[in-house]
Amino acid sequence: MLTTHPFDDDKLREECGIFGVSGAEGAAALVALGLHALQHRGQEAAGITTYDGHAFHTYRAMGHVAGNFDRDDIIRQLTGTTACGHVRYSTTGETALRNVQPLYAELQSGGFAVAHNGNISNAQRLRRDLVRSGSIFQSTSDTETIIHLVATSSYRTLIDRFIDALKQVEGAYSLICMTREGMIACRDPLGIRPLVMGRLGDAVIFASETVALDVVGAEFIRSVEPGEMIIVKEGGEMSSHRPFTQHAARPCIFEWVYFSRPDSIAEDQSVYSVRKAIGAQLAIEAPADADLVIPVPDSGVPAAIGFSQQSGQPFELGIIRSHYVGRTFIQPGDKVRHLGVKLKHNANRALIKGKRVVLIDDSIVRGTTSLKIVQMMREAGAAEVHMRIASPPTRHSCFYGVDTPERSKLLAATHDLEQMRQYIQADSLAFITIDGLYKALGSDGRPRVKPGYCDACFTGDYPTTLTDQDEQAPLDQFALLEERVG
């Protein structure tokens, strides 16, 4: 089995996207539209839960939003004016319907549904303690830990039980929860994972990215602040709470490098503009003597435009991406496996032949993708192939809701720059510096001071404790089964 996203297989992947609506007729249809806009954040499974004032309704399925939630019979079942949804991309471990979110449980106080983007870095320890106390888990997801902590809390009100639960977890989370009383949206105290708020008439909407608000015609109001909990009651009454100790914000820097759609606004900055600024800074720091600037589609396009504009070298689409290929391709042998790569991306041979090209990509993870791209350029007749990367070397794994290989499999963790260049067989290789990345993030005139973001994948500076990682607790039947679900 060969995925037909051969250039995407070696990318860091944001594991989830979430979307919630409170106070709108046909809430499920709006959530489905919002999830379409967030499909890039999770392509393995999707789910929607609604509440109609009497009962909760849930539909979850493997696969994309399209094909599952574009069916009238499904949407008609999901009645109610309050709804939340989730798109999921898992890492290792079990891929199963029981892990698809929103997760739902009947608590003493009534129904409780939760959609989670992020990763709880002490979930294994919490899970072991909860199981020893009698909790029975139905999934291998770290998100379910939150539900059990709420259920077992000794506080009286649901909100207090929820706050008590979150005070016990470490790591990153943006959450949209539904109860009989209304909707709760909250973000971890460091704001590592994104969450924004908007309005559509009288309805309140929460989403991982502003592009999802755009798709449903909602007005972007603001980002949910780090450590903030917003409660929207039935009837529309809204209140903001900050029950956690305040910290300096550390949003994930990779949202601007790769994760977010370029037409989103992240922390009041245009993602597209930041990526162009990254490309321009890269051209200043690591110019290349080349005839053409070529992006690795699609994520490398804005940075390549910035590189081209700064360097004066022409921007061209030297790699053409097909958007009409299915997810998998059955191949009987290595020869067909190699040909399958070209189903998704193909060199623009007439443009490249005899040219010195500089390729712009967002990152190098294992290096296998970069090697394929360089080989593709050489097979198309490129005279020279130079690679420029719009992020610093990825030397450390992420434990905050991003699918990252173990550190030993990260090319930059085991190779120096020259060894990396030799591995991908490029004529030259350079990355933007961490200082250059911060400078590009301040291209709107507001200086960015390190470490104003979570940049641990580049620097190893993790902003929270990593209990499970530090303890290296052995997995057993009571432990989290190698799964970190966004």
mmCIF file of all heavy atoms in Angstrom, residues 323-351:
data_model
loop_
_atom_site.group_PDB
_atom_site.id
_atom_site.type_symbol
_atom_site.label_atom_id
_atom_site.label_comp_id
_atom_site.label_asym_id
_atom_site.label_seq_id
_atom_site.Cartn_x
_atom_site.Cartn_y
_atom_site.Cartn_z
ATOM 1 N N HIS A 323 -4.514 17.139 -7.860
ATOM 2 C CA HIS A 323 -5.424 17.138 -6.712
ATOM 3 C C HIS A 323 -6.543 16.117 -6.884
ATOM 4 O O HIS A 323 -7.532 16.159 -6.160
ATOM 5 C CB HIS A 323 -6.025 18.534 -6.532
ATOM 6 C CG HIS A 323 -5.014 19.571 -6.160
ATOM 7 N ND1 HIS A 323 -4.702 19.885 -4.858
ATOM 8 C CD2 HIS A 323 -4.209 20.352 -6.916
ATOM 9 C CE1 HIS A 323 -3.770 20.822 -4.826
ATOM 10 N NE2 HIS A 323 -3.455 21.133 -6.070
ATOM 11 N N TYR A 324 -6.399 15.218 -7.825
ATOM 12 C CA TYR A 324 -7.502 14.312 -8.157
ATOM 13 C C TYR A 324 -7.115 12.852 -8.001
ATOM 14 O O TYR A 324 -7.648 11.983 -8.674
ATOM 15 C CB TYR A 324 -7.971 14.578 -9.593
ATOM 16 C CG TYR A 324 -8.378 16.004 -9.787
ATOM 17 C CD1 TYR A 324 -7.513 16.918 -10.411
ATOM 18 C CD2 TYR A 324 -9.590 16.484 -9.297
ATOM 19 C CE1 TYR A 324 -7.871 18.245 -10.560
ATOM 20 C CE2 TYR A 324 -9.947 17.811 -9.439
ATOM 21 C CZ TYR A 324 -9.084 18.681 -10.065
ATOM 22 O OH TYR A 324 -9.445 19.993 -10.207
ATOM 23 N N VAL A 325 -6.189 12.586 -7.106
ATOM 24 C CA VAL A 325 -5.736 11.226 -6.878
ATOM 25 C C VAL A 325 -6.306 10.746 -5.559
ATOM 26 O O VAL A 325 -6.339 11.487 -4.575
ATOM 27 C CB VAL A 325 -4.196 11.155 -6.843
ATOM 28 C CG1 VAL A 325 -3.733 9.720 -6.654
ATOM 29 C CG2 VAL A 325 -3.619 11.738 -8.114
ATOM 30 N N GLY A 326 -6.758 9.500 -5.515
ATOM 31 C CA GLY A 326 -7.289 8.934 -4.284
ATOM 32 C C GLY A 326 -6.203 8.771 -3.242
ATOM 33 O O GLY A 326 -5.018 8.941 -3.517
ATOM 34 N N ARG A 327 -6.618 8.344 -2.050
ATOM 35 C CA ARG A 327 -5.654 8.289 -0.946
ATOM 36 C C ARG A 327 -4.685 7.136 -1.049
ATOM 37 O O ARG A 327 -3.571 7.213 -0.568
ATOM 38 C CB ARG A 327 -6.402 8.190 0.391
ATOM 39 C CG ARG A 327 -6.386 9.517 1.113
ATOM 40 C CD ARG A 327 -6.887 9.373 2.518
ATOM 41 N NE ARG A 327 -5.859 9.209 3.515
ATOM 42 C CZ ARG A 327 -4.991 10.113 3.860
ATOM 43 N NH1 ARG A 327 -4.933 11.245 3.219
ATOM 44 N NH2 ARG A 327 -4.133 9.895 4.829
ATOM 45 N N THR A 328 -5.083 6.018 -1.655
ATOM 46 C CA THR A 328 -4.188 4.877 -1.689
ATOM 47 C C THR A 328 -4.087 4.308 -3.084
ATOM 48 O O THR A 328 -4.963 4.476 -3.928
ATOM 49 C CB THR A 328 -4.671 3.760 -0.748
ATOM 50 O OG1 THR A 328 -5.976 3.362 -1.133
ATOM 51 C CG2 THR A 328 -4.675 4.219 0.689
ATOM 52 N N PHE A 329 -2.970 3.625 -3.314
ATOM 53 C CA PHE A 329 -2.704 3.032 -4.618
ATOM 54 C C PHE A 329 -2.075 1.672 -4.381
ATOM 55 O O PHE A 329 -1.032 1.559 -3.763
ATOM 56 C CB PHE A 329 -1.734 3.929 -5.405
ATOM 57 C CG PHE A 329 -1.329 3.347 -6.735
ATOM 58 C CD1 PHE A 329 -2.190 3.394 -7.807
ATOM 59 C CD2 PHE A 329 -0.081 2.766 -6.893
ATOM 60 C CE1 PHE A 329 -1.808 2.876 -9.027
ATOM 61 C CE2 PHE A 329 0.296 2.240 -8.107
ATOM 62 C CZ PHE A 329 -0.565 2.293 -9.179
ATOM 63 N N ILE A 330 -2.763 0.630 -4.821
ATOM 64 C CA ILE A 330 -2.255 -0.720 -4.614
ATOM 65 C C ILE A 330 -1.203 -1.005 -5.665
ATOM 66 O O ILE A 330 -1.441 -0.877 -6.858
ATOM 67 C CB ILE A 330 -3.400 -1.744 -4.698
ATOM 68 C CG1 ILE A 330 -4.434 -1.452 -3.611
ATOM 69 C CG2 ILE A 330 -2.869 -3.165 -4.568
ATOM 70 C CD1 ILE A 330 -5.683 -2.282 -3.729
ATOM 71 N N GLN A 331 -0.024 -1.407 -5.222
ATOM 72 C CA GLN A 331 1.072 -1.597 -6.153
ATOM 73 C C GLN A 331 1.742 -2.951 -5.920
ATOM 74 O O GLN A 331 2.009 -3.330 -4.782
ATOM 75 C CB GLN A 331 2.087 -0.455 -6.044
ATOM 76 C CG GLN A 331 2.313 0.072 -4.630
ATOM 77 C CD GLN A 331 3.146 -0.875 -3.818
ATOM 78 O OE1 GLN A 331 4.052 -1.502 -4.338
ATOM 79 N NE2 GLN A 331 2.844 -1.007 -2.548
ATOM 80 N N PRO A 332 1.978 -3.702 -6.994
ATOM 81 C CA PRO A 332 2.501 -5.050 -6.830
ATOM 82 C C PRO A 332 4.009 -5.137 -6.682
ATOM 83 O O PRO A 332 4.527 -6.188 -6.330
ATOM 84 C CB PRO A 332 2.059 -5.742 -8.122
ATOM 85 C CG PRO A 332 2.036 -4.634 -9.127
ATOM 86 C CD PRO A 332 1.607 -3.405 -8.376
ATOM 87 N N GLY A 333 4.736 -4.084 -6.963
ATOM 88 C CA GLY A 333 6.185 -4.182 -6.887
ATOM 89 C C GLY A 333 6.844 -2.835 -6.786
ATOM 90 O O GLY A 333 6.196 -1.793 -6.865
ATOM 91 N N ASP A 334 8.154 -2.848 -6.570
ATOM 92 C CA ASP A 334 8.895 -1.611 -6.361
ATOM 93 C C ASP A 334 8.831 -0.688 -7.567
ATOM 94 O O ASP A 334 8.820 0.535 -7.421
ATOM 95 C CB ASP A 334 10.353 -1.929 -6.032
ATOM 96 C CG ASP A 334 10.500 -2.545 -4.646
ATOM 97 O OD1 ASP A 334 9.569 -2.352 -3.834
ATOM 98 O OD2 ASP A 334 11.514 -3.193 -4.394
ATOM 99 N N LYS A 335 8.818 -1.259 -8.789
ATOM 100 C CA LYS A 335 8.781 -0.414 -9.978
ATOM 101 C C LYS A 335 7.513 0.412 -10.020
ATOM 102 O O LYS A 335 7.541 1.620 -10.266
ATOM 103 C CB LYS A 335 8.902 -1.260 -11.234
ATOM 104 C CG LYS A 335 8.926 -0.438 -12.509
ATOM 105 C CD LYS A 335 9.125 -1.312 -13.737
ATOM 106 C CE LYS A 335 9.153 -0.464 -15.015
ATOM 107 N NZ LYS A 335 9.334 -1.319 -16.220
ATOM 108 N N VAL A 336 6.382 -0.225 -9.748
ATOM 109 C CA VAL A 336 5.119 0.501 -9.755
ATOM 110 C C VAL A 336 5.034 1.445 -8.566
ATOM 111 O O VAL A 336 4.472 2.534 -8.644
ATOM 112 C CB VAL A 336 3.934 -0.481 -9.764
ATOM 113 C CG1 VAL A 336 2.609 0.265 -9.763
ATOM 114 C CG2 VAL A 336 4.017 -1.386 -10.989
ATOM 115 N N ARG A 337 5.638 1.042 -7.439
ATOM 116 C CA ARG A 337 5.688 1.935 -6.279
ATOM 117 C C ARG A 337 6.386 3.245 -6.649
ATOM 118 O O ARG A 337 5.940 4.332 -6.313
ATOM 119 C CB ARG A 337 6.437 1.261 -5.119
ATOM 120 C CG ARG A 337 6.658 2.178 -3.909
ATOM 121 C CD ARG A 337 7.601 1.527 -2.911
ATOM 122 N NE ARG A 337 7.023 0.345 -2.334
ATOM 123 C CZ ARG A 337 6.271 0.353 -1.217
ATOM 124 N NH1 ARG A 337 5.997 1.492 -0.618
ATOM 125 N NH2 ARG A 337 5.796 -0.760 -0.744
ATOM 126 N N HIS A 338 7.500 3.145 -7.364
ATOM 127 C CA HIS A 338 8.235 4.337 -7.773
ATOM 128 C C HIS A 338 7.394 5.181 -8.719
ATOM 129 O O HIS A 338 7.338 6.410 -8.604
ATOM 130 C CB HIS A 338 9.548 3.938 -8.437
ATOM 131 C CG HIS A 338 10.344 5.111 -8.934
ATOM 132 N ND1 HIS A 338 10.997 5.974 -8.096
ATOM 133 C CD2 HIS A 338 10.572 5.567 -10.204
ATOM 134 C CE1 HIS A 338 11.601 6.915 -8.796
ATOM 135 N NE2 HIS A 338 11.361 6.688 -10.077
ATOM 136 N N LEU A 339 6.716 4.537 -9.656
ATOM 137 C CA LEU A 339 5.874 5.287 -10.589
ATOM 138 C C LEU A 339 4.702 5.949 -9.867
ATOM 139 O O LEU A 339 4.239 7.013 -10.267
ATOM 140 C CB LEU A 339 5.350 4.352 -11.692
ATOM 141 C CG LEU A 339 6.399 3.781 -12.642
ATOM 142 C CD1 LEU A 339 5.758 2.789 -13.603
ATOM 143 C CD2 LEU A 339 7.112 4.883 -13.404
ATOM 144 N N GLY A 340 4.244 5.313 -8.782
ATOM 145 C CA GLY A 340 3.122 5.872 -8.047
ATOM 146 C C GLY A 340 3.414 7.235 -7.454
ATOM 147 O O GLY A 340 2.494 8.025 -7.234
ATOM 148 N N VAL A 341 4.675 7.527 -7.192
ATOM 149 C CA VAL A 341 5.046 8.841 -6.676
ATOM 150 C C VAL A 341 4.590 9.934 -7.630
ATOM 151 O O VAL A 341 4.141 11.007 -7.224
ATOM 152 C CB VAL A 341 6.572 8.910 -6.453
ATOM 153 C CG1 VAL A 341 7.005 10.322 -6.130
ATOM 154 C CG2 VAL A 341 6.982 7.957 -5.337
ATOM 155 N N LYS A 342 4.689 9.666 -8.927
ATOM 156 C CA LYS A 342 4.366 10.684 -9.927
ATOM 157 C C LYS A 342 2.867 10.891 -10.105
ATOM 158 O O LYS A 342 2.455 11.793 -10.833
ATOM 159 C CB LYS A 342 5.012 10.316 -11.260
ATOM 160 C CG LYS A 342 6.542 10.313 -11.181
ATOM 161 C CD LYS A 342 7.185 10.062 -12.539
ATOM 162 C CE LYS A 342 8.701 10.109 -12.430
ATOM 163 N NZ LYS A 342 9.364 9.872 -13.728
ATOM 164 N N LEU A 343 2.062 10.051 -9.481
ATOM 165 C CA LEU A 343 0.627 10.283 -9.535
ATOM 166 C C LEU A 343 0.250 11.602 -8.877
ATOM 167 O O LEU A 343 -0.700 12.252 -9.275
ATOM 168 C CB LEU A 343 -0.120 9.149 -8.826
ATOM 169 C CG LEU A 343 -0.182 7.792 -9.536
ATOM 170 C CD1 LEU A 343 -0.834 6.777 -8.622
ATOM 171 C CD2 LEU A 343 -0.938 7.909 -10.850
ATOM 172 N N LYS A 344 0.983 11.969 -7.848
ATOM 173 C CA LYS A 344 0.634 13.155 -7.069
ATOM 174 C C LYS A 344 1.438 14.384 -7.486
ATOM 175 O O LYS A 344 0.899 15.479 -7.546
ATOM 176 C CB LYS A 344 0.864 12.875 -5.575
ATOM 177 C CG LYS A 344 0.239 13.911 -4.664
ATOM 178 C CD LYS A 344 -1.279 13.859 -4.714
ATOM 179 C CE LYS A 344 -1.898 14.882 -3.786
ATOM 180 N NZ LYS A 344 -3.350 14.857 -3.847
ATOM 181 N N HIS A 345 2.728 14.229 -7.767
ATOM 182 C CA HIS A 345 3.583 15.349 -8.150
ATOM 183 C C HIS A 345 4.416 14.952 -9.361
ATOM 184 O O HIS A 345 4.948 13.838 -9.413
ATOM 185 C CB HIS A 345 4.544 15.722 -7.006
ATOM 186 C CG HIS A 345 3.864 16.234 -5.775
ATOM 187 N ND1 HIS A 345 3.342 15.394 -4.821
ATOM 188 C CD2 HIS A 345 3.624 17.493 -5.339
ATOM 189 C CE1 HIS A 345 2.814 16.117 -3.845
ATOM 190 N NE2 HIS A 345 2.980 17.389 -4.129
ATOM 191 N N ASN A 346 4.554 15.876 -10.275
ATOM 192 C CA ASN A 346 5.360 15.607 -11.460
ATOM 193 C C ASN A 346 6.151 16.853 -11.835
ATOM 194 O O ASN A 346 5.672 17.983 -11.689
ATOM 195 C CB ASN A 346 4.479 15.171 -12.638
ATOM 196 C CG ASN A 346 5.295 14.577 -13.765
ATOM 197 O OD1 ASN A 346 6.240 13.823 -13.536
ATOM 198 N ND2 ASN A 346 4.945 14.917 -14.990
ATOM 199 N N ALA A 347 7.371 16.654 -12.302
ATOM 200 C CA ALA A 347 8.217 17.784 -12.684
ATOM 201 C C ALA A 347 7.719 18.420 -13.976
ATOM 202 O O ALA A 347 7.288 17.730 -14.908
ATOM 203 C CB ALA A 347 9.656 17.307 -12.861
ATOM 204 N N ASN A 348 7.788 19.745 -14.023
ATOM 205 C CA ASN A 348 7.471 20.501 -15.227
ATOM 206 C C ASN A 348 8.725 20.504 -16.106
ATOM 207 O O ASN A 348 9.507 21.458 -16.129
ATOM 208 C CB ASN A 348 7.044 21.921 -14.842
ATOM 209 C CG ASN A 348 6.429 22.684 -15.982
ATOM 210 O OD1 ASN A 348 6.551 22.283 -17.153
ATOM 211 N ND2 ASN A 348 5.769 23.789 -15.663
ATOM 212 N N ARG A 349 8.906 19.402 -16.826
ATOM 213 C CA ARG A 349 10.170 19.093 -17.486
ATOM 214 C C ARG A 349 10.630 20.193 -18.443
ATOM 215 O O ARG A 349 11.812 20.566 -18.466
ATOM 216 C CB ARG A 349 10.038 17.759 -18.217
ATOM 217 C CG ARG A 349 11.322 17.224 -18.814
ATOM 218 C CD ARG A 349 11.082 15.851 -19.406
ATOM 219 N NE ARG A 349 10.691 14.895 -18.385
ATOM 220 C CZ ARG A 349 11.545 14.152 -17.708
ATOM 221 N NH1 ARG A 349 12.847 14.259 -17.938
ATOM 222 N NH2 ARG A 349 11.134 13.305 -16.795
ATOM 223 N N ALA A 350 9.733 20.714 -19.268
ATOM 224 C CA ALA A 350 10.114 21.707 -20.272
ATOM 225 C C ALA A 350 10.667 22.971 -19.622
ATOM 226 O O ALA A 350 11.521 23.662 -20.188
ATOM 227 C CB ALA A 350 8.917 22.044 -21.158
ATOM 228 N N LEU A 351 10.169 23.285 -18.424
ATOM 229 C CA LEU A 351 10.619 24.480 -17.705
ATOM 230 C C LEU A 351 11.981 24.254 -17.041
ATOM 231 O O LEU A 351 12.822 25.151 -16.999
ATOM 232 C CB LEU A 351 9.583 24.845 -16.641
ATOM 233 C CG LEU A 351 9.885 26.035 -15.732
ATOM 234 C CD1 LEU A 351 9.749 27.333 -16.505
ATOM 235 C CD2 LEU A 351 8.951 26.034 -14.533
#
